[in-house]
Amino acid sequence: MKKMSKILLVIMVVFLGACSSMNIDTSKYKITTETLKEPYKVMDEILIRESILSDWYNNEEPVRYLTTRQIIKKDGKEEVFLNSLKTKKITDEDIEKFNELTKKYLNKLEKKYKLKDENIKNTKELIKNLVIGYNVVYSTTAKHIMTVVATESERNYVLELNKKSEDEMTDKDRTKVRKLLNKWLERKEFFDGESIYSAEVSKDTVKLVELSKKKELTSLELNNLNAKAMEVAFPELISTLSRWGK
């Protein structure tokens, strides 16, 4: 019985650790009795800076997104508590509870994006785009994928599939392409700052490049970094992240 109890305890510890996937170092934010008089403003700032992608909250104000999705329920205990901070004398316990709620909401926003078949708008055109990119001399995401990310067998598969017309492509072909793309999203070498900047220069791409420089990326960070890069690189062929599977 003792041995079984120890095993169950280990399983519980592992499970709880897995559930607590997103951790926030709140010490780097100025969370004080004064700043918490504007709790939603502080929470928005933290969630924006800690989120991997603004797509997690539809590029809106995070708290507004959480409220409209009923994650922060109207007149619920959590909303009542947050609103009370505007007028009450704030204690250390209030700050601790605010920190826990912020972490909870970040975990609620967290999404790992995966392509579904319908997220590829035109499989033939995407394959054609990869083959054209493979043959150009300048830096593009398509060229990077075909020369660095794809294995030799994967590259040959793409080249052979390109010989098929749109009408000759089957649902099986489309599903296989989608699975291949999702496999590429898991590879560290997928992201290439130079080619992403050739597609778009924006606050989003700057943030992506900065994230890519981290020494140790989690599987979630790596996948979503690459997913956003794919969306940016093929806007006419890949649907926006909000439509992807999770």
Side-chain angles (χ1 to χ4, degrees):
M1 286 295 292
K2 286 184 177 180
K3 185 176 181 180
M4 180 62 70
S5 296
K6 286 182 178 179
I7 293 172
L8 289 172
L9 180 60
V10 170
I11 292 173
M12 285 178 66
V13 169
V14 171
F15 175 76
L16 289 171
C19 289
S20 181
S21 55
M22 298 293 287
N23 293 302
I24 303 172
D25 179 11
T26 51
S27 63
K28 62 187 177 182
Y29 298 100
K30 293 179 180 178
I31 303 174
T32 67
T33 56
E34 289 304 312
T35 59
L36 276 194
K37 293 297 180 182
E38 297 183 277
Y40 296 124
K41 181 179 179 181
V42 175
M43 187 173 285
D44 269 341
E45 179 190 353
I46 295 173
L47 293 178
I48 287 170
R49 288 179 61 182
E50 295 290 335
S51 296
I52 297 172
L53 300 171
S54 60
D55 299 79
W56 281 6
Y57 43 86
N58 267 18
N59 300 304
E60 303 171 22
E61 294 175 343
V63 172
R64 183 185 295 274
Y65 176 86
L66 290 164
T67 303
T68 56
R69 297 306 189 279
Q70 288 294 301
I71 295 171
I72 301 178
K73 295 185 178 179
K74 185 173 177 57
D75 300 324
K77 289 182 179 179
E78 292 174 358
E79 186 181 57
V80 170
F81 165 73
L82 291 169
N83 286 332
S84 74
L85 297 177
K86 298 174 183 178
T87 55
K88 71 180 291 190
K89 182 178 179 180
I90 296 171
T91 65
D92 289 342
E93 288 75 19
D94 291 327
I95 294 176
E96 184 177 347
K97 185 173 181 179
F98 176 84
N99 290 344
E100 287 302 313
L101 284 178
T102 305
K103 176 182 174 182
K104 173 185 174 180
Y105 296 146
L106 182 60
N107 285 322
K108 290 282 187 179
L109 292 174
E110 173 188 330
K111 306 176 185 102
K112 188 173 186 178
Y113 294 98
K114 288 294 180 185
L115 284 163
K116 297 180 290 185
D117 284 353
E118 58 266 33
N119 296 140
I120 303 175
K121 298 177 184 179
N122 189 318
T123 304
K124 170 61 182 176
E125 282 301 311
L126 180 60
I127 291 297
K128 181 180 176 181
N129 195 290
L130 289 172
V131 173
I132 291 172
Y134 180 47
N135 293 303
V136 299
V137 295
Y138 51 89
S139 177
T140 67
T141 299
K143 184 176 183 64
H144 178 77
I145 289 173
M146 291 291 282
T147 57
V148 178
V149 182
T151 63
E152 184 177 357
S153 62
E154 290 169 346
R155 182 165 52 252
N156 288 336
Y157 165 72
V158 170
L159 294 172
E160 282 300 311
L161 187 59
N162 188 52
K163 296 176 183 177
K164 285 189 176 183
S165 68
E166 174 66 28
D167 291 338
E168 291 173 328
M169 279 197 177
T170 65
D171 288 341
K172 188 175 180 180
D173 289 327
R174 294 182 181 90
T175 297
K176 189 171 181 179
V177 169
R178 188 258 302 166
K179 288 182 178 180
L180 179 59
L181 264 59
N182 278 329
K183 188 186 295 186
W184 287 342
L185 293 181
E186 298 175 355
R187 296 179 185 171
K188 191 172 182 179
E189 60 269 26
F190 183 92
F191 190 85
D192 176 60
E194 184 180 353
S195 58
I196 201 70
Y197 277 145
S198 71
E200 178 185 309
V201 179
S202 65
K203 287 182 180 179
D204 277 344
T205 52
V206 169
K207 185 174 181 180
L208 292 177
V209 171
E210 287 303 311
L211 177 61
S212 73
K213 294 176 182 177
K214 279 184 64 175
K215 288 185 178 179
E216 295 295 332
L217 288 170
T218 66
S219 62
L220 176 71
E221 288 173 328
L222 179 62
N223 181 88
N224 287 358
L225 171 74
N226 292 339
K228 188 64 179 178
M230 183 178 288
E231 181 209 81
V232 170
F234 306 107
E236 304 300 321
L237 301 171
I238 301 289
S239 60
T240 58
L241 283 184
S242 62
R243 298 180 179 276
W244 287 35
K246 301 174 181 68

